[in-house]
Every structure is written in C-alpha cells, then in structure tokens.
Amino acid sequence: MNGMNDVGGMDGFTLPVRDPDEPPFKYEWEALVFAASQAFHGPWPVDKRRFYVEIMPPDLYLSTPYFGRWLWRFEKLLIEDGLATEEELRNPDGPMSPAADFQPFVREAVDQAIPPKFRVGDDVLVKNEHPTGHTRVPRYARGRRGTIYLDHGVYDLPDAVAHGLDPKPQHCYAVVFEASELWGARANPRDKIYVDLWDDYLLAGS
Amino acid sequence: MSPQDKVSRREFLTKTSLAASTAVAGAATGQVGAQEAEEYVQSDYSVRAKALVAVLTKKNLINPAEIDEVIEFYETKVGPHIGARLVARSWVDPEFRERLLSDANAAATELGIERRRDLAAVANTPQVHNLVVCTLCSCYPWAILGLPPTWYKDAPYRARAVIDPRGVLKEFGTELDEGVEVRVWDSTAEVRYVVIPERPQGTDGMTDGQLQDLVTRDSMIGVEKLKSLV
C-alpha cells in the first residue's frame, strides 16, 4: 500500500541531532517491546509485521517513535488474532482469557533451482503498480528504468507471504538506477541508486 | 489517574498515541513544558510495554527469561565490533577481501560470525562512495552492526539518503570530491548491506586488532569516511 513508511525522496524533513553514545535502547520500554517481539514466536511472518506498521495512519506514524510503532502493531495483531483483548492490554492485573490457538510461523527453505527471468546486465522496467497490500517496491522506483546489477538468488515474494497467500519464490536482484532516472535534473549525474527487487516487480525493458 | 483512563476502551489503541503526540504539540505552543510532554510520552509507552509483557507472560505466550536474554544479547554481545572484524581482515588480506565482496555470507562464516540474514559487502574506493539506507522500514545488518541508531530508523535520513545523498553526507561531516560516484543501497529485500570503508592512511604495520579499533559504525553504514592518522 502507499503507506507513510515509504518516505524515500520526500523533502522537508530535518536530520535530527545525533547522539554518538546512543545505547541500543534509550528507555526500558523500548527494550521490553523489542525483546517481547523477539521472544514471542508468533504466527506472523516479518512481512506481515511490516505491513502492520505500513497501515498506520500517516499522522500517527510520523508522531510515534520507532519502538512505539512496534508496540502499536504488536497490540493490533494480538487483538486481531484473538491472542489478547484490548481490556487485557489495558488492565493486565485483571482476568485473562485463554489465547486462541495458532501455529508459529516458520520460514521454509525455498527452491534455489527456480530459474531467473533476468540476467545480470539486462535492462528492466519496474512495473507501475500500487497494490493495496504489502509490497517492497518503493514509490520512487515505480515506472523507472534500471539494469540488473546482481542476482541475489531465490526468496519468497513478500507480497504473498505478508497476506498468507500461496508462496511465490522467485529471484530477487539488485537493480541499479541512474540517479537522474529517478530524480531528474536535481540528481548528480554520477550517482546511482540500487534497489533490491523481485521478478514479479519487473518487466523487460530497453 | 493514568492518561488512558480518560479514553474509551474501544479507541484505546489509537488514542494513547494521539494523546501523546498532542502533548508534544502542546509543548511546541508553550501550553506544556517540553520536559513534561516528553515524560508524558515515555510514561505512556512504558505503561503499555509493561502491560504487553505482563499479558504475554500470563498467557504463557513468552518466557520472561527469554526477554532478559534478548535484551542482554543486543545490549552487550552484538555491535559494530563484529563488522569491524570483517573490515580489518579485508584490509590486511586481499584474498579475504575478494571473498568478502563476492560472497559476504561465506566470509562471515569464515570468521565465525553468526547471522540469520544474508549479507552483502560493498567497498569504498577513491572513486566510489557507498551509502546504505532502508527507505521502507529499518533493514540493517544486526548480526554485524547491532541494532541501528535512531537516526537510521527515522524518516529524515530514509527520505533524504536516496534523493540527496551528498547533502546527507555533508551533514555527517563527510565531504566528497566532485568526481566521486555515490552509490546508495536501498535495502528493500532480504540482503543486508555493509560498507567496507577505505583503510585510513598512516595505518601501515598495524595489527588486525589495532585496525578493528579504528572502524566505526557510521563508516560501515557509509555516512562517514575513516580519518587519516597522518
């Protein structure tokens, strides 16, 4: 979906003051949210968890700190899947209902023998698609022309995994774009942007 | 009374975050002290995070000991010192460097580095400067750099790194010659990128261990170059 997370190329943000001695977790709650996400071996693949940040309303996304977004999606997924209720999350000292049954998500090995659609050096055109579900094509690359730079091998297509659809294992490539293809006259013509993209996102193009 | 008590149950999840941002907005207009607003935001997240862990624990959905183990691992075990081993070795061993650049997974395994995700290494040269970003979320090579700094995860860096990499580099104090090619790697898929910075001048004869101490996290993200020692 065209969510607030897809910020590549936006103007108007100011880089924050950087703390060179920043610890991994600045506040205890950040450590708790992170660790709970790691320690809960739940039914959600990472692609689905990413999607549940992407669906945050844009104003809420921008006003919520990083681990606050993790907390928001964790609460939402628990409630949606019947693993906890809003009342329980609001009042953890109260009575608890049993959690619904679930199968922990386990990433299956993919078949590396699946043939690639493209070879290194091939010119490609990124499809100009705007799916309402999860996708990993940044908006700035849609409809743009690039060249296959590297073949990373076969990985499951996240668009399918995120929504529990039949797996679509396929090749994923580093596609190189001239900066001027993406940003026009504003770009330094020497610069290049590399974006990792799956077969399904690409058309042959020259 | 905690802030959430004022909020209807149905809209709790949305309202808590919105209330927090309203407090911050209030601080900007002088209605609430900035520190007061910050404390409000943090206490709100703290209440929710503790409730999350309590609920998961009571329902036997997590093992509390694992919470402590995860925090300890990311606070004390994993960090840029691991990536620095790859970089320093690549400076002293040209054959290792070739293996690292062609198959970073095998090179990491060679040094006994554990990882869950695939890695790729890209090398800076006098002609090429590499910069890593994840515009869509926060993909980062945890196994060799630890957890990313806040600025890497927040919108400003992610928004600008792809459209204005030279401007971002300048803000990090990194000046590039006009003739240098900038390559920005947007980690949109399954591979996590690490930049192999150039070996600083004045380090001839230093041991692998001494060289590791020179390698910074930011140089492996690509936002800075390592300073010459001469």
Side-chain angles (χ1 to χ4, degrees):
Chain A
M1 67 176 285
N2 292 340
M4 189 63 245
N5 67 298
D6 185 2
V7 294
M10 273 190 73
D11 288 319
F13 289 113
T14 306
L15 281 179
V17 175
R18 294 177 297 281
D19 174 5
D21 301 316
E22 182 182 275
F25 309 109
K26 192 171 173 190
Y27 300 102
E28 185 196 16
W29 70 264
E30 297 178 330
L32 289 177
V33 170
F34 175 82
S37 302
Q38 300 291 306
F40 176 51
H41 307 286
W44 318 305
V46 64
D47 310 282
K48 180 166 184 172
R49 284 183 275 135
R50 288 195 183 124
F51 183 64
Y52 272 68
V53 167
E54 293 159 13
I55 61 175
M56 286 182 90
D59 51 351
L60 182 60
Y61 178 97
L62 287 174
S63 58
T64 304
Y66 180 74
F67 286 114
R69 300 198 285 262
W70 282 43
L71 179 57
W72 188 88
R73 71 151 171 230
F74 207 153
E75 293 167 335
K76 195 169 179 65
L77 283 164
L78 285 171
I79 292 164
E80 277 195 10
D81 284 1
L83 300 174
T85 65
E86 287 179 17
E87 177 59 31
E88 288 164 349
L89 290 167
R90 197 161 82 96
N91 181 18
D93 297 327
M96 292 287 143
S97 59
D101 285 339
F102 67 90
Q103 284 293 319
F105 178 79
V106 179
R107 192 178 255 238
E108 308 278 346
V110 293
D111 177 7
Q112 288 295 331
I114 291 168
K117 280 193 190 163
F118 302 101
R119 303 280 172 192
V120 169
D122 283 356
D123 290 326
V124 290
L125 173 68
V126 183
K127 292 179 188 172
N128 180 26
E129 293 293 346
H130 296 257
T132 53
H134 178 64
T135 191
R136 294 294 286 180
V137 189
R139 262 173 284 181
Y140 72 78
R142 296 177 192 171
R144 302 298 178 186
R145 292 178 188 280
T147 304
I148 304 285
Y149 181 80
L150 272 176
D151 184 343
H152 290 308
V154 177
Y155 297 91
D156 275 322
L157 184 73
D159 309 44
V161 179
H163 302 291
L165 306 175
D166 288 341
K168 286 189 176 178
Q170 53 191 259
H171 281 253
C172 181
Y173 316 87
V175 179
V176 57
F177 299 87
E178 297 292 335
S180 48
E181 165 72 7
L182 302 178
W183 314 114
R186 182 169 160 185
N188 186 313
R190 285 191 189 83
D191 297 350
K192 295 181 170 58
I193 318 294
Y194 297 73
V195 184
D196 286 342
L197 299 168
W198 273 263
D199 264 328
D200 264 21
Y201 300 155
L202 303 170
L203 298 167
S206 55
Chain B
M1 183 163 100
S2 79
Q4 296 102 304
D5 293 337
K6 300 174 190 164
V7 181
S8 78
R9 185 159 64 92
R10 202 164 54 82
E11 293 187 323
F12 159 64
L13 292 179
T14 311
K15 283 277 173 58
T16 44
S17 293
L18 286 178
S21 57
T22 307
V24 173
T29 58
Q31 293 163 2
V32 189
Q35 176 147 4
E36 192 186 336
E38 174 69 7
E39 283 171 8
Y40 178 92
V41 171
Q42 298 307 333
S43 68
D44 181 61
Y45 287 121
S46 179
V47 167
R48 283 167 63 197
K50 284 176 180 162
L52 173 75
V53 172
V55 169
L56 293 171
T57 305
K58 279 189 173 182
K59 294 189 177 218
N60 288 321
L61 294 174
I62 55 169
N63 173 1
E66 202 175 337
I67 294 276
D68 296 335
E69 284 164 21
V70 169
I71 294 173
E72 197 204 344
F73 180 74
Y74 283 96
E75 283 190 332
T76 65
K77 300 285 194 293
V78 71
H81 61 281
I82 300 175
R85 292 173 53 208
L86 289 168
V87 173
R89 178 64 66 87
S90 80
W91 289 342
V92 298
D93 182 344
E95 287 174 10
F96 179 82
R97 179 185 167 92
E98 271 185 39
R99 293 198 293 278
L100 176 63
L101 296 178
S102 61
D103 185 352
N105 295 325
T109 302
E110 204 178 311
L111 297 194
I113 295 170
E114 290 180 22
R115 58 179 178 82
R116 276 187 290 184
R117 293 233 170 229
D118 287 337
L119 291 173
V122 290
N124 287 348
T125 69
Q127 293 80 35
V128 173
H129 186 90
N130 293 280
L131 180 68
V132 178
V133 64
C134 172
T135 61
L136 297 176
C137 50
S138 54
C139 299
Y140 189 77
W142 290 5
I144 56 170
L145 297 187
L147 295 183
T150 300
W151 59 259
Y152 183 89
K153 301 179 288 194
D154 283 349
Y157 174 76
R158 290 161 41 207
R160 287 181 52 193
V162 281
I163 193 171
D164 183 22
R166 289 169 191 264
V168 168
L169 287 167
K170 203 170 277 183
E171 287 200 32
F172 275 84
T174 304
E175 299 278 353
L176 298 179
D177 291 339
E178 188 54 28
V180 171
E181 172 185 326
V182 175
R183 297 181 180 176
V184 182
W185 299 83
D186 190 354
S187 325
T188 51
E190 306 286 346
V191 174
R192 301 292 171 262
Y193 290 94
V194 59
V195 175
I196 307 303
E198 286 179 86
R199 180 172 178 163
Q201 289 190 320
T203 58
D204 291 356
M206 288 177 84
T207 65
D208 193 318
Q210 289 169 321
L211 291 168
Q212 286 175 33
D213 290 341
L214 302 177
V215 183
T216 63
R217 176 196 71 197
D218 286 2
S219 74
M220 292 183 280
I221 302 173
V223 290
E224 74 177 14
K225 292 161 77 88
L226 296 175
K227 289 184 183 58
S228 165
L229 300 191
V230 291

